Amino acid sequence: MTAPIAAGVVTYNSRDHIERCLDALRAQSVPLAEILVWDNASADDSAALARSRGARVQPSARNLGFAAGANELIRRATAPYFLLVNPDAYLAPDYGERLLAVAESDPGVGSLTGKLVRPNATGGPVVLDSTGHVLYRNRYPLNRGSDEVDRGQYEATEEVFGVCAAAALYRRAMLEDVRIGDAYFDPAFFMYLEDVDLDWRARLRGWRAMYVPAAVAVHHRGHQGKRRTRNPAVLRHSLKNRYLMMARNDRFRDVIRDLPAILVMDLLRVTDYALTHPTALRGFLDLPPLLPQALADRRAIQGRRRLGSAGLRPWLRPYPFRARLRGILRDLASR
């Protein structure tokens, strides 16, 4: 019997993590059909280290970004499920097995995630990284539970809006159903929010996403930090990608309904970035050349959607604006 899961990792200067990541994949209790690595022109020895761990490595002559690299891996895989893993994510041995069991019990589930936690070398409390994606009415997505101490508040196996691609199991049938042309993730996103865009497209087609807390993985999420120390390139991509995501997936009447919340979020972000990372605002300049293709993709996405506005509305949550504003003011005061 063919192994049901193929695994893929996109690397870019990932030597500090890739060996441990691949060792964890090779130790999975469900045998993997193959382990594929797409190396985005790393300047270090990521590709060589991946080969030394038995992965099938495809080097790229240039950095195509995470989204395009993941597409290349998915095209090369043939198993019924595809496990996409960041190089800085380390899966527990039963991670794939636990997600697969839930997926096999319900053919309507297109994507799954486990409980992703931050590294804990001090013996202190476990801090959560992601328990699935949340999409707010202001069209701002977040990882559910991010930065919260794990007190058992996310111990139910349950449906979520979508899943973080740092350690996601995707059903191949879902990926083929929602792809646009030959792209599963939109390469225009380059990195960041490409997984939320996929979440949204999958939900519009009627696929569901599940969170399985018994499956646990450690995720370093190296680009994160306090607001003043985060990577400006990531913020720049996140700025443009939020609008790309809306242009592709949103309905005009839904945007109008939530316009006050959207505009308040825009004001907060522009103010935040102007004060802390001004170069991130270049994301506004990156957006216009990408909009024509996004609108063309939109026609394909909206023409095939099965879920109406009423079905999507329960997944759009009110945003905790007051807590967000307090965080910004607290961070600015500590500068």
PDB file of all heavy atoms in Angstrom, residues 8 21 66 83-91 95 113 116 129-130 133 143 163-168 170 194-195 217-221:
ATOM      1  N   GLY A   8       6.766  18.090   2.550  1.00  0.00           N
ATOM      2  CA  GLY A   8       7.580  19.052   1.828  1.00  0.00           C
ATOM      3  C   GLY A   8       8.019  20.201   2.722  1.00  0.00           C
ATOM      4  O   GLY A   8       7.268  20.635   3.606  1.00  0.00           O
ATOM      5  N   CYS A  21      14.355  19.428  11.763  1.00  0.00           N
ATOM      6  CA  CYS A  21      13.046  19.338  11.104  1.00  0.00           C
ATOM      7  C   CYS A  21      12.909  18.031  10.334  1.00  0.00           C
ATOM      8  O   CYS A  21      11.903  17.316  10.467  1.00  0.00           O
ATOM      9  CB  CYS A  21      12.871  20.533  10.167  1.00  0.00           C
ATOM     10  SG  CYS A  21      11.424  20.451   9.094  1.00  0.00           S
ATOM     11  N   PHE A  66       8.179  31.739  -0.440  1.00  0.00           N
ATOM     12  CA  PHE A  66       7.582  30.543   0.158  1.00  0.00           C
ATOM     13  C   PHE A  66       6.437  29.998  -0.686  1.00  0.00           C
ATOM     14  O   PHE A  66       6.333  28.785  -0.907  1.00  0.00           O
ATOM     15  CB  PHE A  66       7.080  30.851   1.568  1.00  0.00           C
ATOM     16  CG  PHE A  66       6.356  29.706   2.205  1.00  0.00           C
ATOM     17  CD1 PHE A  66       7.059  28.689   2.825  1.00  0.00           C
ATOM     18  CD2 PHE A  66       4.967  29.620   2.171  1.00  0.00           C
ATOM     19  CE1 PHE A  66       6.397  27.614   3.400  1.00  0.00           C
ATOM     20  CE2 PHE A  66       4.302  28.555   2.748  1.00  0.00           C
ATOM     21  CZ  PHE A  66       5.018  27.550   3.363  1.00  0.00           C
ATOM     22  N   LEU A  83       1.912  17.103   3.542  1.00  0.00           N
ATOM     23  CA  LEU A  83       2.267  17.701   4.823  1.00  0.00           C
ATOM     24  C   LEU A  83       3.318  18.776   4.569  1.00  0.00           C
ATOM     25  O   LEU A  83       4.469  18.477   4.259  1.00  0.00           O
ATOM     26  CB  LEU A  83       2.812  16.622   5.763  1.00  0.00           C
ATOM     27  CG  LEU A  83       3.235  17.050   7.168  1.00  0.00           C
ATOM     28  CD1 LEU A  83       2.067  17.634   7.950  1.00  0.00           C
ATOM     29  CD2 LEU A  83       3.847  15.866   7.926  1.00  0.00           C
ATOM     30  N   LEU A  84       2.903  20.034   4.678  1.00  0.00           N
ATOM     31  CA  LEU A  84       3.793  21.160   4.449  1.00  0.00           C
ATOM     32  C   LEU A  84       4.339  21.626   5.798  1.00  0.00           C
ATOM     33  O   LEU A  84       3.562  21.920   6.720  1.00  0.00           O
ATOM     34  CB  LEU A  84       3.043  22.295   3.757  1.00  0.00           C
ATOM     35  CG  LEU A  84       3.844  23.532   3.364  1.00  0.00           C
ATOM     36  CD1 LEU A  84       4.990  23.170   2.417  1.00  0.00           C
ATOM     37  CD2 LEU A  84       2.935  24.573   2.710  1.00  0.00           C
ATOM     38  N   VAL A  85       5.654  21.705   5.891  1.00  0.00           N
ATOM     39  CA  VAL A  85       6.296  21.994   7.175  1.00  0.00           C
ATOM     40  C   VAL A  85       7.365  23.060   6.983  1.00  0.00           C
ATOM     41  O   VAL A  85       8.180  22.969   6.063  1.00  0.00           O
ATOM     42  CB  VAL A  85       6.934  20.718   7.775  1.00  0.00           C
ATOM     43  CG1 VAL A  85       7.555  21.013   9.131  1.00  0.00           C
ATOM     44  CG2 VAL A  85       5.914  19.599   7.885  1.00  0.00           C
ATOM     45  N   ASN A  86       7.368  24.063   7.853  1.00  0.00           N
ATOM     46  CA  ASN A  86       8.455  25.033   7.863  1.00  0.00           C
ATOM     47  C   ASN A  86       9.726  24.385   8.395  1.00  0.00           C
ATOM     48  O   ASN A  86       9.654  23.510   9.271  1.00  0.00           O
ATOM     49  CB  ASN A  86       8.100  26.229   8.745  1.00  0.00           C
ATOM     50  CG  ASN A  86       7.285  27.277   8.023  1.00  0.00           C
ATOM     51  OD1 ASN A  86       6.801  27.042   6.918  1.00  0.00           O
ATOM     52  ND2 ASN A  86       7.120  28.420   8.646  1.00  0.00           N
ATOM     53  N   PRO A  87      10.892  24.820   7.940  1.00  0.00           N
ATOM     54  CA  PRO A  87      12.127  24.216   8.459  1.00  0.00           C
ATOM     55  C   PRO A  87      12.339  24.449   9.943  1.00  0.00           C
ATOM     56  O   PRO A  87      13.088  23.702  10.584  1.00  0.00           O
ATOM     57  CB  PRO A  87      13.231  24.894   7.622  1.00  0.00           C
ATOM     58  CG  PRO A  87      12.602  26.101   7.025  1.00  0.00           C
ATOM     59  CD  PRO A  87      11.153  25.786   6.867  1.00  0.00           C
ATOM     60  N   ASP A  88      11.684  25.474  10.511  1.00  0.00           N
ATOM     61  CA  ASP A  88      11.830  25.729  11.947  1.00  0.00           C
ATOM     62  C   ASP A  88      10.670  25.157  12.752  1.00  0.00           C
ATOM     63  O   ASP A  88      10.397  25.604  13.870  1.00  0.00           O
ATOM     64  CB  ASP A  88      11.987  27.222  12.230  1.00  0.00           C
ATOM     65  CG  ASP A  88      10.781  28.046  11.813  1.00  0.00           C
ATOM     66  OD1 ASP A  88       9.891  27.495  11.120  1.00  0.00           O
ATOM     67  OD2 ASP A  88      10.722  29.241  12.159  1.00  0.00           O
ATOM     68  N   ALA A  89      10.004  24.160  12.194  1.00  0.00           N
ATOM     69  CA  ALA A  89       8.935  23.456  12.896  1.00  0.00           C
ATOM     70  C   ALA A  89       9.354  22.002  13.105  1.00  0.00           C
ATOM     71  O   ALA A  89       9.813  21.342  12.162  1.00  0.00           O
ATOM     72  CB  ALA A  89       7.627  23.523  12.108  1.00  0.00           C
ATOM     73  N   TYR A  90       9.187  21.510  14.311  1.00  0.00           N
ATOM     74  CA  TYR A  90       9.594  20.150  14.669  1.00  0.00           C
ATOM     75  C   TYR A  90       8.362  19.391  15.161  1.00  0.00           C
ATOM     76  O   TYR A  90       7.788  19.719  16.198  1.00  0.00           O
ATOM     77  CB  TYR A  90      10.662  20.172  15.762  1.00  0.00           C
ATOM     78  CG  TYR A  90      11.762  21.185  15.527  1.00  0.00           C
ATOM     79  CD1 TYR A  90      12.219  21.995  16.565  1.00  0.00           C
ATOM     80  CD2 TYR A  90      12.334  21.347  14.264  1.00  0.00           C
ATOM     81  CE1 TYR A  90      13.215  22.925  16.355  1.00  0.00           C
ATOM     82  CE2 TYR A  90      13.335  22.275  14.043  1.00  0.00           C
ATOM     83  CZ  TYR A  90      13.780  23.065  15.092  1.00  0.00           C
ATOM     84  OH  TYR A  90      14.767  23.999  14.885  1.00  0.00           O
ATOM     85  N   LEU A  91       7.979  18.376  14.414  1.00  0.00           N
ATOM     86  CA  LEU A  91       6.749  17.643  14.694  1.00  0.00           C
ATOM     87  C   LEU A  91       6.989  16.518  15.692  1.00  0.00           C
ATOM     88  O   LEU A  91       7.993  15.808  15.617  1.00  0.00           O
ATOM     89  CB  LEU A  91       6.189  17.041  13.407  1.00  0.00           C
ATOM     90  CG  LEU A  91       6.066  17.957  12.182  1.00  0.00           C
ATOM     91  CD1 LEU A  91       5.360  17.210  11.063  1.00  0.00           C
ATOM     92  CD2 LEU A  91       5.353  19.249  12.519  1.00  0.00           C
ATOM     93  N   TYR A  95       2.470  13.259  14.983  1.00  0.00           N
ATOM     94  CA  TYR A  95       1.777  14.432  14.437  1.00  0.00           C
ATOM     95  C   TYR A  95       0.982  14.060  13.176  1.00  0.00           C
ATOM     96  O   TYR A  95      -0.228  14.289  13.088  1.00  0.00           O
ATOM     97  CB  TYR A  95       2.780  15.533  14.121  1.00  0.00           C
ATOM     98  CG  TYR A  95       2.149  16.862  13.776  1.00  0.00           C
ATOM     99  CD1 TYR A  95       1.826  17.781  14.766  1.00  0.00           C
ATOM    100  CD2 TYR A  95       1.891  17.223  12.451  1.00  0.00           C
ATOM    101  CE1 TYR A  95       1.255  19.011  14.465  1.00  0.00           C
ATOM    102  CE2 TYR A  95       1.320  18.441  12.135  1.00  0.00           C
ATOM    103  CZ  TYR A  95       1.006  19.337  13.143  1.00  0.00           C
ATOM    104  OH  TYR A  95       0.437  20.548  12.831  1.00  0.00           O
ATOM    105  N   THR A 113      -4.480  21.073  11.193  1.00  0.00           N
ATOM    106  CA  THR A 113      -3.305  21.487  11.947  1.00  0.00           C
ATOM    107  C   THR A 113      -3.377  20.909  13.338  1.00  0.00           C
ATOM    108  O   THR A 113      -4.468  20.614  13.850  1.00  0.00           O
ATOM    109  CB  THR A 113      -3.209  23.017  12.034  1.00  0.00           C
ATOM    110  OG1 THR A 113      -1.981  23.371  12.706  1.00  0.00           O
ATOM    111  CG2 THR A 113      -4.378  23.616  12.823  1.00  0.00           C
ATOM    112  N   LEU A 116       0.473  24.090  17.677  1.00  0.00           N
ATOM    113  CA  LEU A 116       1.837  24.575  17.493  1.00  0.00           C
ATOM    114  C   LEU A 116       2.214  25.410  18.706  1.00  0.00           C
ATOM    115  O   LEU A 116       1.474  26.307  19.118  1.00  0.00           O
ATOM    116  CB  LEU A 116       1.951  25.418  16.223  1.00  0.00           C
ATOM    117  CG  LEU A 116       1.402  24.800  14.921  1.00  0.00           C
ATOM    118  CD1 LEU A 116       1.809  25.654  13.716  1.00  0.00           C
ATOM    119  CD2 LEU A 116       1.859  23.372  14.751  1.00  0.00           C
ATOM    120  N   ASP A 129       1.755  28.973  19.781  1.00  0.00           N
ATOM    121  CA  ASP A 129       2.104  29.662  18.536  1.00  0.00           C
ATOM    122  C   ASP A 129       0.887  29.748  17.621  1.00  0.00           C
ATOM    123  O   ASP A 129       0.573  30.796  17.090  1.00  0.00           O
ATOM    124  CB  ASP A 129       3.228  28.920  17.822  1.00  0.00           C
ATOM    125  CG  ASP A 129       3.594  29.532  16.492  1.00  0.00           C
ATOM    126  OD1 ASP A 129       4.267  30.574  16.479  1.00  0.00           O
ATOM    127  OD2 ASP A 129       3.181  28.976  15.451  1.00  0.00           O
ATOM    128  N   SER A 130       0.182  28.638  17.434  1.00  0.00           N
ATOM    129  CA  SER A 130      -1.022  28.643  16.605  1.00  0.00           C
ATOM    130  C   SER A 130      -1.883  27.442  16.930  1.00  0.00           C
ATOM    131  O   SER A 130      -1.381  26.322  17.095  1.00  0.00           O
ATOM    132  CB  SER A 130      -0.661  28.617  15.119  1.00  0.00           C
ATOM    133  OG  SER A 130      -1.826  28.578  14.311  1.00  0.00           O
ATOM    134  N   HIS A 133      -6.208  29.304  12.268  1.00  0.00           N
ATOM    135  CA  HIS A 133      -6.350  30.702  11.880  1.00  0.00           C
ATOM    136  C   HIS A 133      -7.699  31.282  12.292  1.00  0.00           C
ATOM    137  O   HIS A 133      -8.719  30.589  12.269  1.00  0.00           O
ATOM    138  CB  HIS A 133      -6.224  30.846  10.359  1.00  0.00           C
ATOM    139  CG  HIS A 133      -4.818  30.801   9.875  1.00  0.00           C
ATOM    140  ND1 HIS A 133      -4.473  30.414   8.596  1.00  0.00           N
ATOM    141  CD2 HIS A 133      -3.645  31.109  10.486  1.00  0.00           C
ATOM    142  CE1 HIS A 133      -3.168  30.472   8.454  1.00  0.00           C
ATOM    143  NE2 HIS A 133      -2.639  30.880   9.574  1.00  0.00           N
ATOM    144  N   ASN A 143      -3.115  34.034  14.130  1.00  0.00           N
ATOM    145  CA  ASN A 143      -3.050  32.673  14.628  1.00  0.00           C
ATOM    146  C   ASN A 143      -3.753  32.609  15.978  1.00  0.00           C
ATOM    147  O   ASN A 143      -3.391  33.330  16.921  1.00  0.00           O
ATOM    148  CB  ASN A 143      -1.595  32.225  14.766  1.00  0.00           C
ATOM    149  CG  ASN A 143      -0.970  31.902  13.437  1.00  0.00           C
ATOM    150  OD1 ASN A 143      -1.347  30.933  12.785  1.00  0.00           O
ATOM    151  ND2 ASN A 143      -0.025  32.728  13.012  1.00  0.00           N
ATOM    152  N   VAL A 163      -5.735  26.934   8.621  1.00  0.00           N
ATOM    153  CA  VAL A 163      -4.581  26.374   9.324  1.00  0.00           C
ATOM    154  C   VAL A 163      -3.299  27.079   8.904  1.00  0.00           C
ATOM    155  O   VAL A 163      -3.160  27.544   7.776  1.00  0.00           O
ATOM    156  CB  VAL A 163      -4.453  24.860   9.063  1.00  0.00           C
ATOM    157  CG1 VAL A 163      -5.727  24.134   9.475  1.00  0.00           C
ATOM    158  CG2 VAL A 163      -4.130  24.548   7.614  1.00  0.00           C
ATOM    159  N   CYS A 164      -2.370  27.143   9.828  1.00  0.00           N
ATOM    160  CA  CYS A 164      -1.063  27.728   9.582  1.00  0.00           C
ATOM    161  C   CYS A 164      -0.222  26.749   8.759  1.00  0.00           C
ATOM    162  O   CYS A 164      -0.094  25.567   9.102  1.00  0.00           O
ATOM    163  CB  CYS A 164      -0.385  28.029  10.915  1.00  0.00           C
ATOM    164  SG  CYS A 164       1.304  28.614  10.776  1.00  0.00           S
ATOM    165  N   ALA A 165       0.378  27.252   7.682  1.00  0.00           N
ATOM    166  CA  ALA A 165       1.139  26.390   6.777  1.00  0.00           C
ATOM    167  C   ALA A 165       2.485  25.966   7.357  1.00  0.00           C
ATOM    168  O   ALA A 165       3.221  25.230   6.697  1.00  0.00           O
ATOM    169  CB  ALA A 165       1.354  27.092   5.435  1.00  0.00           C
ATOM    170  N   ALA A 166       2.811  26.397   8.567  1.00  0.00           N
ATOM    171  CA  ALA A 166       4.066  25.967   9.181  1.00  0.00           C
ATOM    172  C   ALA A 166       4.076  24.472   9.474  1.00  0.00           C
ATOM    173  O   ALA A 166       5.151  23.855   9.544  1.00  0.00           O
ATOM    174  CB  ALA A 166       4.326  26.748  10.468  1.00  0.00           C
ATOM    175  N   ALA A 167       2.894  23.880   9.656  1.00  0.00           N
ATOM    176  CA  ALA A 167       2.799  22.436   9.911  1.00  0.00           C
ATOM    177  C   ALA A 167       1.374  22.005   9.579  1.00  0.00           C
ATOM    178  O   ALA A 167       0.585  21.680  10.457  1.00  0.00           O
ATOM    179  CB  ALA A 167       3.145  22.107  11.356  1.00  0.00           C
ATOM    180  N   ALA A 168       1.055  22.011   8.297  1.00  0.00           N
ATOM    181  CA  ALA A 168      -0.319  21.773   7.842  1.00  0.00           C
ATOM    182  C   ALA A 168      -0.405  20.503   7.003  1.00  0.00           C
ATOM    183  O   ALA A 168       0.462  20.230   6.170  1.00  0.00           O
ATOM    184  CB  ALA A 168      -0.813  22.955   7.011  1.00  0.00           C
ATOM    185  N   TYR A 170      -2.628  18.900   4.151  1.00  0.00           N
ATOM    186  CA  TYR A 170      -3.619  19.256   3.140  1.00  0.00           C
ATOM    187  C   TYR A 170      -4.052  18.007   2.367  1.00  0.00           C
ATOM    188  O   TYR A 170      -3.214  17.189   1.972  1.00  0.00           O
ATOM    189  CB  TYR A 170      -3.040  20.263   2.146  1.00  0.00           C
ATOM    190  CG  TYR A 170      -2.708  21.606   2.745  1.00  0.00           C
ATOM    191  CD1 TYR A 170      -1.382  22.018   2.883  1.00  0.00           C
ATOM    192  CD2 TYR A 170      -3.707  22.479   3.163  1.00  0.00           C
ATOM    193  CE1 TYR A 170      -1.069  23.265   3.420  1.00  0.00           C
ATOM    194  CE2 TYR A 170      -3.400  23.719   3.699  1.00  0.00           C
ATOM    195  CZ  TYR A 170      -2.083  24.102   3.824  1.00  0.00           C
ATOM    196  OH  TYR A 170      -1.780  25.336   4.354  1.00  0.00           O
ATOM    197  N   GLU A 194      -0.223  33.763   2.489  1.00  0.00           N
ATOM    198  CA  GLU A 194      -0.601  32.874   1.389  1.00  0.00           C
ATOM    199  C   GLU A 194      -1.421  31.699   1.896  1.00  0.00           C
ATOM    200  O   GLU A 194      -2.300  31.188   1.185  1.00  0.00           O
ATOM    201  CB  GLU A 194       0.635  32.385   0.617  1.00  0.00           C
ATOM    202  CG  GLU A 194       1.521  31.395   1.346  1.00  0.00           C
ATOM    203  CD  GLU A 194       2.264  31.984   2.538  1.00  0.00           C
ATOM    204  OE1 GLU A 194       2.877  33.059   2.360  1.00  0.00           O
ATOM    205  OE2 GLU A 194       2.240  31.372   3.627  1.00  0.00           O
ATOM    206  N   ASP A 195      -1.171  31.287   3.143  1.00  0.00           N
ATOM    207  CA  ASP A 195      -1.946  30.182   3.708  1.00  0.00           C
ATOM    208  C   ASP A 195      -3.366  30.623   4.071  1.00  0.00           C
ATOM    209  O   ASP A 195      -4.320  29.852   3.944  1.00  0.00           O
ATOM    210  CB  ASP A 195      -1.240  29.551   4.908  1.00  0.00           C
ATOM    211  CG  ASP A 195      -0.785  30.552   5.960  1.00  0.00           C
ATOM    212  OD1 ASP A 195      -0.980  31.775   5.777  1.00  0.00           O
ATOM    213  OD2 ASP A 195      -0.228  30.110   6.992  1.00  0.00           O
ATOM    214  N   ALA A 217       3.430  20.259  17.699  1.00  0.00           N
ATOM    215  CA  ALA A 217       4.683  20.602  17.031  1.00  0.00           C
ATOM    216  C   ALA A 217       5.251  21.866  17.665  1.00  0.00           C
ATOM    217  O   ALA A 217       4.506  22.744  18.110  1.00  0.00           O
ATOM    218  CB  ALA A 217       4.472  20.815  15.537  1.00  0.00           C
ATOM    219  N   VAL A 218       6.559  21.957  17.681  1.00  0.00           N
ATOM    220  CA  VAL A 218       7.259  23.161  18.138  1.00  0.00           C
ATOM    221  C   VAL A 218       7.565  24.017  16.923  1.00  0.00           C
ATOM    222  O   VAL A 218       8.073  23.521  15.913  1.00  0.00           O
ATOM    223  CB  VAL A 218       8.560  22.803  18.873  1.00  0.00           C
ATOM    224  CG1 VAL A 218       9.357  24.067  19.227  1.00  0.00           C
ATOM    225  CG2 VAL A 218       8.261  21.998  20.132  1.00  0.00           C
ATOM    226  N   HIS A 219       7.252  25.304  17.003  1.00  0.00           N
ATOM    227  CA  HIS A 219       7.504  26.219  15.884  1.00  0.00           C
ATOM    228  C   HIS A 219       8.256  27.446  16.404  1.00  0.00           C
ATOM    229  O   HIS A 219       7.756  28.175  17.244  1.00  0.00           O
ATOM    230  CB  HIS A 219       6.181  26.648  15.235  1.00  0.00           C
ATOM    231  CG  HIS A 219       6.373  27.505  14.024  1.00  0.00           C
ATOM    232  ND1 HIS A 219       5.456  28.448  13.622  1.00  0.00           N
ATOM    233  CD2 HIS A 219       7.386  27.552  13.125  1.00  0.00           C
ATOM    234  CE1 HIS A 219       5.888  29.030  12.515  1.00  0.00           C
ATOM    235  NE2 HIS A 219       7.061  28.514  12.207  1.00  0.00           N
ATOM    236  N   HIS A 220       9.442  27.679  15.849  1.00  0.00           N
ATOM    237  CA  HIS A 220      10.257  28.808  16.288  1.00  0.00           C
ATOM    238  C   HIS A 220       9.685  30.141  15.840  1.00  0.00           C
ATOM    239  O   HIS A 220       9.810  31.139  16.534  1.00  0.00           O
ATOM    240  CB  HIS A 220      11.688  28.658  15.767  1.00  0.00           C
ATOM    241  CG  HIS A 220      12.532  27.787  16.625  1.00  0.00           C
ATOM    242  ND1 HIS A 220      13.499  28.273  17.480  1.00  0.00           N
ATOM    243  CD2 HIS A 220      12.558  26.441  16.778  1.00  0.00           C
ATOM    244  CE1 HIS A 220      14.079  27.281  18.115  1.00  0.00           C
ATOM    245  NE2 HIS A 220      13.537  26.154  17.713  1.00  0.00           N
ATOM    246  N   ARG A 221       9.106  30.200  14.641  1.00  0.00           N
ATOM    247  CA  ARG A 221       8.585  31.452  14.087  1.00  0.00           C
ATOM    248  C   ARG A 221       9.602  32.574  14.304  1.00  0.00           C
ATOM    249  O   ARG A 221       9.364  33.580  14.982  1.00  0.00           O
ATOM    250  CB  ARG A 221       7.235  31.820  14.702  1.00  0.00           C
ATOM    251  CG  ARG A 221       6.444  32.814  13.845  1.00  0.00           C
ATOM    252  CD  ARG A 221       5.070  33.087  14.417  1.00  0.00           C
ATOM    253  NE  ARG A 221       4.156  31.959  14.303  1.00  0.00           N
ATOM    254  CZ  ARG A 221       3.388  31.723  13.236  1.00  0.00           C
ATOM    255  NH1 ARG A 221       3.435  32.519  12.204  1.00  0.00           N
ATOM    256  NH2 ARG A 221       2.586  30.671  13.215  1.00  0.00           N
TER     257      ARG A 221
END
